[in-house]
Amino acid sequence: MQIRPRFLFLAALTMMSAAQAAQAAPRDDILAGYAAQAKAADAAFAGFSAARGEALHRDRHSGGKPDSPSCTSCHGENTRAAGRTPVGKAIEPVAVSVAPTRYTDAAKVEKWFRRNCREVLGRECTPREKGDWLAFMTTQ
Amino acid sequence: MTTLIRSIAVGAALFAAGAVMLERARAGSDEFFPPVTDPLTRQECGSCHMAFPPGLLPARSWQKMMGELDNHFGEDASVDAATAKQITTYLVAHAADSTGYGDMRRWLRGVPASAAPQRITELPKWVREHREVSPREWTRKEIASKANCVACHVDGERGYFEDD
């Protein structure tokens, strides 16, 4: 019973790409869900925009808490670096390229949009804003 | 062969008993607070700050806090009802005044029975244990807040809060 190293290598490679695909699929489902909601809210909706998502992420907003006028107040300017909560705990980077398991659990994504949009904007985010923001993070 | 198995079993039992006794002895000290072991509690309570050991507050404090998560020290930390219920059950079962695990009652010295303190950092024992930390020290950038235990207690996540 001998297993060739090349076979092992190929098997590992297949498993790795399968794992990445497995994470992309739920993320796509979450985005599709937001797209359907955005379309329902506005018939002219023509897809998400990473550029709009970046603006939402980086802009300073009013209406939320004075301590957190922007997503970057806690997540930091660099999407690929760790952020920091107001009480000092590190936050995993928001960019999908460095945190590939992010945005794969729809309930978790909703929970954090609900909390953080209220903190930063003083209101819940719209489906379009959520999709734009996710679209930006998948390019990061 | 049976002798071997028997001696292994006896050894394992003695080891387990020793571990339990050690855990209890440590739980009685001011420096060890059993960390959160429930995965859901660890995840939900450990996103923004460390998942504080439930033995740091009495049950009535946890109950009050879990009923006001939409305004958790000014933040929206709300969770769905089922999650809140499961976390509350865990926290109450392992609270400082619970009999479930260790005995943290000494930690609550000076807390009136009628009070449900919310800030661990305002407990008389906490204040006393940190009286040697200068105000200037608290303003260090890497500390950020008094809720950031692990900035100084490097083994805080594992329950150890001895002087550092």
Side-chain angles (χ1 to χ4, degrees), chain A residues 30-61:
Chain A
I30 292 170
L31 270 166
Y34 288 139
Q37 290 175 35
K39 188 88 183 158
D42 175 13
F45 169 74
F48 295 123
S49 149
R52 281 197 310 252
E54 175 162 19
L56 177 67
H57 182 69
R58 298 195 188 282
D59 281 356
R60 292 175 67 85
H61 307 270

Short mmCIF file of all heavy atoms in Angstrom, two decimals, chain A residues 30-61:
data_model
loop_
_atom_site.label_atom_id
_atom_site.label_comp_id
_atom_site.label_asym_id
_atom_site.label_seq_id
_atom_site.Cartn_x
_atom_site.Cartn_y
_atom_site.Cartn_z
N ILE A 30 -25.30 35.11 -0.41
CA ILE A 30 -25.64 36.28 0.41
C ILE A 30 -25.77 37.51 -0.48
O ILE A 30 -26.74 38.27 -0.38
CB ILE A 30 -24.56 36.50 1.51
CG1 ILE A 30 -24.61 35.35 2.53
CG2 ILE A 30 -24.75 37.85 2.21
CD1 ILE A 30 -23.46 35.33 3.51
N LEU A 31 -24.83 37.67 -1.42
CA LEU A 31 -24.89 38.80 -2.36
C LEU A 31 -26.14 38.73 -3.23
O LEU A 31 -26.81 39.75 -3.47
CB LEU A 31 -23.63 38.81 -3.24
CG LEU A 31 -22.46 39.63 -2.68
CD1 LEU A 31 -21.17 39.31 -3.44
CD2 LEU A 31 -22.74 41.13 -2.74
N ALA A 32 -26.48 37.52 -3.68
CA ALA A 32 -27.67 37.35 -4.52
C ALA A 32 -28.92 37.73 -3.74
O ALA A 32 -29.86 38.33 -4.30
CB ALA A 32 -27.75 35.90 -5.01
N GLY A 33 -28.93 37.40 -2.46
CA GLY A 33 -30.07 37.75 -1.60
C GLY A 33 -30.24 39.26 -1.51
O GLY A 33 -31.35 39.80 -1.64
N TYR A 34 -29.12 39.96 -1.29
CA TYR A 34 -29.17 41.43 -1.22
C TYR A 34 -29.57 42.03 -2.57
O TYR A 34 -30.29 43.03 -2.62
CB TYR A 34 -27.83 42.00 -0.75
CG TYR A 34 -27.55 41.75 0.72
CD1 TYR A 34 -26.28 41.39 1.17
CD2 TYR A 34 -28.56 41.90 1.67
CE1 TYR A 34 -26.03 41.16 2.51
CE2 TYR A 34 -28.31 41.68 3.02
CZ TYR A 34 -27.04 41.31 3.43
OH TYR A 34 -26.79 41.08 4.76
N ALA A 35 -29.10 41.41 -3.67
CA ALA A 35 -29.45 41.90 -5.01
C ALA A 35 -30.95 41.81 -5.23
O ALA A 35 -31.58 42.75 -5.76
CB ALA A 35 -28.69 41.11 -6.07
N ALA A 36 -31.55 40.69 -4.81
CA ALA A 36 -33.00 40.52 -4.96
C ALA A 36 -33.74 41.59 -4.16
O ALA A 36 -34.72 42.18 -4.66
CB ALA A 36 -33.40 39.12 -4.51
N GLN A 37 -33.27 41.85 -2.95
CA GLN A 37 -33.91 42.88 -2.11
C GLN A 37 -33.75 44.27 -2.73
O GLN A 37 -34.68 45.08 -2.70
CB GLN A 37 -33.31 42.88 -0.70
CG GLN A 37 -33.65 41.65 0.14
CD GLN A 37 -32.91 41.66 1.47
OE1 GLN A 37 -32.70 42.71 2.08
NE2 GLN A 37 -32.50 40.49 1.93
N ALA A 38 -32.55 44.53 -3.27
CA ALA A 38 -32.29 45.85 -3.86
C ALA A 38 -33.17 46.07 -5.09
O ALA A 38 -33.70 47.16 -5.32
CB ALA A 38 -30.81 45.97 -4.24
N LYS A 39 -33.33 45.00 -5.85
CA LYS A 39 -34.16 45.06 -7.05
C LYS A 39 -35.64 45.30 -6.67
O LYS A 39 -36.35 46.08 -7.33
CB LYS A 39 -34.03 43.72 -7.81
CG LYS A 39 -34.69 43.70 -9.17
CD LYS A 39 -33.73 44.19 -10.25
CE LYS A 39 -34.42 44.25 -11.60
NZ LYS A 39 -33.74 45.17 -12.53
N ALA A 40 -36.05 44.65 -5.61
CA ALA A 40 -37.43 44.82 -5.14
C ALA A 40 -37.68 46.25 -4.68
O ALA A 40 -38.77 46.80 -4.86
CB ALA A 40 -37.72 43.83 -4.01
N ALA A 41 -36.63 46.86 -4.08
CA ALA A 41 -36.78 48.23 -3.57
C ALA A 41 -36.71 49.25 -4.70
O ALA A 41 -37.31 50.32 -4.62
CB ALA A 41 -35.69 48.52 -2.53
N ASP A 42 -35.94 48.91 -5.76
CA ASP A 42 -35.75 49.86 -6.86
C ASP A 42 -35.59 49.08 -8.16
O ASP A 42 -34.57 48.41 -8.37
CB ASP A 42 -34.50 50.72 -6.58
CG ASP A 42 -34.18 51.64 -7.75
OD1 ASP A 42 -35.03 51.79 -8.65
OD2 ASP A 42 -33.07 52.20 -7.76
N ALA A 43 -36.58 49.18 -9.03
CA ALA A 43 -36.57 48.41 -10.28
C ALA A 43 -35.39 48.77 -11.17
O ALA A 43 -34.96 47.98 -12.00
CB ALA A 43 -37.87 48.63 -11.04
N ALA A 44 -34.84 49.99 -10.96
CA ALA A 44 -33.71 50.44 -11.78
C ALA A 44 -32.37 49.93 -11.29
O ALA A 44 -31.33 50.23 -11.87
CB ALA A 44 -33.70 51.97 -11.83
N PHE A 45 -32.39 49.16 -10.21
CA PHE A 45 -31.13 48.64 -9.64
C PHE A 45 -30.38 47.83 -10.70
O PHE A 45 -30.93 46.94 -11.33
CB PHE A 45 -31.44 47.75 -8.43
CG PHE A 45 -30.26 46.96 -7.94
CD1 PHE A 45 -29.25 47.59 -7.23
CD2 PHE A 45 -30.14 45.59 -8.18
CE1 PHE A 45 -28.14 46.88 -6.78
CE2 PHE A 45 -29.05 44.87 -7.74
CZ PHE A 45 -28.04 45.51 -7.03
N ALA A 46 -29.09 48.20 -10.90
CA ALA A 46 -28.32 47.57 -11.98
C ALA A 46 -27.04 46.91 -11.48
O ALA A 46 -26.02 46.93 -12.14
CB ALA A 46 -28.00 48.61 -13.04
N GLY A 47 -27.11 46.33 -10.29
CA GLY A 47 -25.93 45.62 -9.78
C GLY A 47 -25.16 46.41 -8.74
O GLY A 47 -25.31 47.64 -8.63
N PHE A 48 -24.35 45.70 -7.99
CA PHE A 48 -23.58 46.34 -6.93
C PHE A 48 -22.31 46.96 -7.48
O PHE A 48 -21.82 46.59 -8.53
CB PHE A 48 -23.23 45.31 -5.84
CG PHE A 48 -24.45 44.79 -5.13
CD1 PHE A 48 -24.72 43.43 -5.09
CD2 PHE A 48 -25.32 45.67 -4.51
CE1 PHE A 48 -25.85 42.96 -4.44
CE2 PHE A 48 -26.45 45.21 -3.86
CZ PHE A 48 -26.71 43.84 -3.82
N SER A 49 -21.78 47.92 -6.72
CA SER A 49 -20.59 48.64 -7.14
C SER A 49 -19.57 48.64 -6.01
O SER A 49 -19.84 49.15 -4.92
CB SER A 49 -20.97 50.07 -7.53
OG SER A 49 -19.92 50.96 -7.26
N ALA A 50 -18.40 48.07 -6.32
CA ALA A 50 -17.31 48.05 -5.33
C ALA A 50 -16.86 49.48 -5.02
O ALA A 50 -16.46 49.77 -3.88
CB ALA A 50 -16.14 47.21 -5.84
N ALA A 51 -16.94 50.37 -6.02
CA ALA A 51 -16.52 51.76 -5.81
C ALA A 51 -17.45 52.46 -4.81
O ALA A 51 -17.00 53.16 -3.91
CB ALA A 51 -16.52 52.51 -7.14
N ARG A 52 -18.77 52.25 -4.98
CA ARG A 52 -19.71 52.81 -4.00
C ARG A 52 -19.47 52.20 -2.63
O ARG A 52 -19.55 52.88 -1.61
CB ARG A 52 -21.15 52.52 -4.44
CG ARG A 52 -21.70 53.43 -5.52
CD ARG A 52 -23.23 53.34 -5.58
NE ARG A 52 -23.73 51.97 -5.64
CZ ARG A 52 -24.28 51.41 -6.72
NH1 ARG A 52 -24.41 52.10 -7.84
NH2 ARG A 52 -24.70 50.16 -6.68
N GLY A 53 -19.16 50.89 -2.62
CA GLY A 53 -18.89 50.21 -1.35
C GLY A 53 -17.67 50.79 -0.65
O GLY A 53 -17.65 50.96 0.57
N GLU A 54 -16.65 51.11 -1.46
CA GLU A 54 -15.44 51.69 -0.87
C GLU A 54 -15.73 53.06 -0.26
O GLU A 54 -15.25 53.38 0.83
CB GLU A 54 -14.32 51.80 -1.91
CG GLU A 54 -13.09 52.50 -1.34
CD GLU A 54 -11.82 52.27 -2.14
OE1 GLU A 54 -11.92 51.88 -3.32
OE2 GLU A 54 -10.73 52.49 -1.57
N ALA A 55 -16.54 53.85 -0.97
CA ALA A 55 -16.91 55.17 -0.46
C ALA A 55 -17.67 55.03 0.87
O ALA A 55 -17.39 55.73 1.85
CB ALA A 55 -17.75 55.92 -1.49
N LEU A 56 -18.61 54.11 0.88
CA LEU A 56 -19.38 53.88 2.11
C LEU A 56 -18.44 53.49 3.26
O LEU A 56 -18.60 53.96 4.38
CB LEU A 56 -20.40 52.75 1.87
CG LEU A 56 -21.26 52.31 3.06
CD1 LEU A 56 -22.21 53.43 3.48
CD2 LEU A 56 -22.05 51.04 2.73
N HIS A 57 -17.46 52.66 2.93
CA HIS A 57 -16.53 52.16 3.94
C HIS A 57 -15.63 53.27 4.48
O HIS A 57 -15.37 53.35 5.67
CB HIS A 57 -15.68 51.04 3.34
CG HIS A 57 -14.72 50.42 4.30
ND1 HIS A 57 -15.13 49.63 5.35
CD2 HIS A 57 -13.36 50.49 4.39
CE1 HIS A 57 -14.07 49.23 6.05
NE2 HIS A 57 -12.99 49.74 5.49
N ARG A 58 -15.16 54.14 3.56
CA ARG A 58 -14.14 55.11 3.97
C ARG A 58 -14.69 56.48 4.37
O ARG A 58 -14.04 57.22 5.11
CB ARG A 58 -13.12 55.31 2.83
CG ARG A 58 -12.36 54.05 2.49
CD ARG A 58 -11.14 54.36 1.63
NE ARG A 58 -10.52 53.14 1.15
CZ ARG A 58 -9.73 52.36 1.89
NH1 ARG A 58 -9.46 52.70 3.14
NH2 ARG A 58 -9.22 51.25 1.39
N ASP A 59 -15.87 56.84 3.85
CA ASP A 59 -16.41 58.18 4.15
C ASP A 59 -16.66 58.38 5.64
O ASP A 59 -16.93 57.42 6.37
CB ASP A 59 -17.74 58.38 3.40
CG ASP A 59 -17.52 58.73 1.94
OD1 ASP A 59 -16.34 58.89 1.55
OD2 ASP A 59 -18.52 58.80 1.19
N ARG A 60 -16.60 59.64 6.04
CA ARG A 60 -17.02 60.00 7.39
C ARG A 60 -18.48 60.38 7.32
O ARG A 60 -18.88 61.22 6.53
CB ARG A 60 -16.17 61.16 7.92
CG ARG A 60 -14.71 60.78 8.15
CD ARG A 60 -13.89 61.98 8.55
NE ARG A 60 -14.27 62.50 9.85
CZ ARG A 60 -13.77 62.03 11.00
NH1 ARG A 60 -12.92 61.02 10.99
NH2 ARG A 60 -14.14 62.54 12.15
N HIS A 61 -19.29 59.72 8.13
CA HIS A 61 -20.73 59.94 8.11
C HIS A 61 -21.16 60.71 9.36
O HIS A 61 -20.45 60.73 10.36
CB HIS A 61 -21.47 58.59 8.07
CG HIS A 61 -21.02 57.69 6.96
ND1 HIS A 61 -21.59 57.69 5.71
CD2 HIS A 61 -20.03 56.75 6.91
CE1 HIS A 61 -20.99 56.79 4.94
NE2 HIS A 61 -20.03 56.21 5.65
#
